[in-house]
Amino acid sequence: MRIPHALASAAALTAIIAIPLSGAFAKKEAAASSPIAAAAAAPSRTPANTARDKYRHPVETLTFFGVKPGQTVVEYSPGGGGWYTEILAPLLKDKGTLYEAQASGRGFDTLKAKMDADAATYGKVKLIPWPDTTGSIPAGSVDTLLTFRNVHNMVMNGTADATFKAFYGLLKPGGTLGIVDHRLPEDRDSALEKSSGYLKVSTIKALAAGAGFTFVEASEINANPKDTADWAKGVWTLPPTLTTGEADPDRAKYLAIGESDRMTLKFVKPK
């Protein structure tokens, strides 16, 4: 028996509605209703930082790295602005431990002042001078160690090997190392890694492997195909730095490109 067209359409629509969420859409829906999403929506976040969510995708990124309440988390070199600190602090305030590991100096002092001014949000966060974490962060106690747009600095100043080894020592067996950084195409001259702010994925994988980590997975959450990664003044040409200044005739182009193309890499300390 033939089903009338209208009834067939209704049946098809009902079948579509009945299909369970799957794949990337399901993951996005799950992330949007998570404790991480609630932390990202915290009223304590500053407007200048939330304006950059469209480039940094914090909910998706932290979900990818497996961050959750109850964990012991270290964020390495959050900087004075504490961009991710604004999300991690409320996420872990009631259940979990957050260490912010920052080198002494202006960044440390600025972040400390920010935290001191809002004890309700940051009162339980432990701000630790780096690299001397002895007596502050027990070795082998950390579930997740995160670093955002910092490995290129390690490579430029020659501290990458030592820092990755320190990361390895802090993490528990089975603990996660999550890295986001500016991505240099693999076919470019490796010498650019010393000056441009961009790194090859293969470089970070080699640093992690050298310290004992196992690569788990990569995500394109923070990719930006508009970024050609070939700017005369490096990654800082693009937002948010815009180092060439307001008088640059290409400023509108840089703003249209947005923030850099970034790799998002997850590693694990073997059990």
Side-chain angles (χ1 to χ4, degrees):
M1 179 178 69
R2 295 185 62 187
I3 300 174
H5 179 73
L7 292 177
S9 298
L13 179 60
T14 301
I16 291 172
I17 294 172
I19 295 173
L21 295 174
S22 61
F25 183 75
K27 291 179 182 179
K28 186 173 182 179
E29 288 292 302
S33 62
S34 70
I36 296 173
S44 53
R45 293 190 68 202
T46 55
N49 282 348
T50 58
R52 296 180 62 202
D53 285 3
K54 62 182 179 180
Y55 299 120
R56 303 194 68 173
H57 311 103
V59 176
E60 296 86 352
T61 300
L62 293 177
T63 300
F64 174 72
F65 289 143
V67 181
K68 61 186 68 175
Q71 289 186 341
T72 296
V73 176
V74 171
E75 183 188 5
Y76 167 80
S77 196
W83 199 94
Y84 262 101
T85 312
E86 289 190 351
I87 301 169
L88 292 168
L91 177 66
L92 300 167
K93 181 175 68 172
D94 295 330
K95 189 178 180 182
T97 302
L98 174 61
Y99 293 98
E100 295 292 317
Q102 176 70 37
S104 298
R106 185 174 63 180
F108 184 97
D109 295 340
T110 302
L111 183 58
K112 185 177 186 303
K114 177 187 182 85
M115 291 167 54
D116 289 345
D118 185 1
T121 301
Y122 303 107
K124 294 184 179 180
V125 178
K126 302 176 187 297
L127 179 58
I128 306 299
W130 184 273
D132 186 12
T133 61
T134 305
S136 301
I137 309 177
S141 69
V142 176
D143 295 292
T144 305
L145 194 151
L146 305 168
T147 183
F148 303 98
R149 305 183 314 147
N150 287 308
V151 181
H152 66 276
N153 291 320
M154 302 176 203
V155 170
M156 289 192 291
N157 64 27
T159 62
D161 288 330
T163 304
F164 271 73
K165 288 177 182 176
F167 291 168
Y168 191 89
L170 292 175
L171 282 162
K172 296 177 180 178
T176 295
L177 171 63
I179 295 173
V180 176
D181 218 315
H182 314 294
R183 177 164 47 190
L184 185 69
E186 291 291 328
D187 60 358
R188 300 283 177 84
D189 185 351
S190 295
L192 291 169
E193 295 182 317
K194 284 290 188 177
S195 61
S196 69
Y198 291 94
L199 293 176
K200 297 180 182 182
V201 172
S202 59
T203 296
I204 292 185
K205 285 183 176 180
L207 286 167
F213 289 101
T214 299
F215 174 68
V216 177
E217 189 179 0
S219 171
E220 292 300 295
I221 295 165
N222 296 299
N224 180 1
K226 295 180 182 178
D227 177 17
T228 54
D230 58 356
W231 314 111
K233 293 191 176 182
V235 70
W236 307 281
T237 302
L238 298 177
T241 307
L242 293 164
T243 193
T244 58
E246 294 185 8
D248 191 322
D250 289 328
R251 185 180 179 86
K253 179 180 77 173
Y254 303 144
L255 288 170
I257 290 169
E259 296 193 14
S260 67
D261 176 49
R262 293 167 188 161
M263 64 187 108
T264 304
L265 307 175
K266 180 163 61 176
F267 301 88
V268 67
K269 178 178 179 176
K271 293 185 177 180

